[in-house]
Amino acid sequence: KGRLIAIVNVIDQNRVLIDGPTTGVPRQQYPVNHLHLTKYRVKFPYTAKTKVVRKALEAYNLKEKFSSTRWQERAASKAKRCNLTDFDRFKLRLARSERNRIVSTQFKKLKKEVVNNGMLFGKPVKGTQPLPKRRNPVPKKEGKKKRVRKTKKAAAPAKK
């Protein structure tokens, strides 16, 4: 899990032969639906030996390229979160609550200023500028038209 490997051969539609010489993964069969493909494609011969795969991966600088992606950053942060202790989680909770307190006080200040100007609901206070008119006014919806049902004509009475 979380290691870079190369697909060396496709066995069938469900299994592939993988090799990860740079990350310590031995050559083995692996189910396709357990893999996550990246955008990187390293060229080496079909069913190449581990030595050839290692050279190709090192020449391509796969580890350096992958380490600069968002995928790697997310994986690192996820691993960091998983390794938090109880005390670390407690400190994190306190830090979040402190951050939320700061954000909410600033938001309340800005909202109070806007309400005092009267710009929040579009009703400016005397002496302030009104909101600009809409460029494209929204057309008013007309009432629903009633559907007229057609009635079946009564059959003419039978002649005697």
Side-chain angles (χ1 to χ4, degrees), residues 29 33 71 76 89 99-100 108 111 119 123 137 145 156:
Q29 290 184 36
N33 57 359
W71 192 343
R89 282 189 287 275
R99 180 199 59 198
N100 291 340
K108 285 176 185 174
K111 185 176 177 184
M119 298 302 216
K123 299 174 187 173
K145 293 181 181 177

Side-chain angles (χ1 to χ4, degrees), residues 51-111:
K51 189 176 180 181
V52 176
V53 174
R54 175 181 282 120
K55 268 188 178 177
L57 291 175
E58 288 172 352
Y60 192 72
N61 292 331
L62 184 63
K63 279 188 176 181
E64 289 80 27
K65 289 180 181 179
F66 187 73
S67 65
S68 63
T69 61
R70 295 274 300 155
W71 192 343
Q72 175 64 27
E73 290 173 14
R74 272 190 252 118
S77 64
K78 189 175 181 180
K80 194 173 183 180
R81 276 196 310 272
C82 287
N83 293 329
L84 287 178
T85 63
D86 189 33
F87 185 56
D88 291 334
R89 282 189 287 275
F90 172 73
K91 290 191 293 188
L92 180 64
R93 193 178 77 219
L94 291 181
R96 281 183 178 162
S97 65
E98 181 64 28
R99 180 199 59 198
N100 291 340
R101 191 176 303 120
I102 293 168
V103 168
S104 63
T105 55
Q106 289 299 318
F107 176 73
K108 285 176 185 174
K109 283 181 188 176
L110 292 172
K111 185 176 177 184

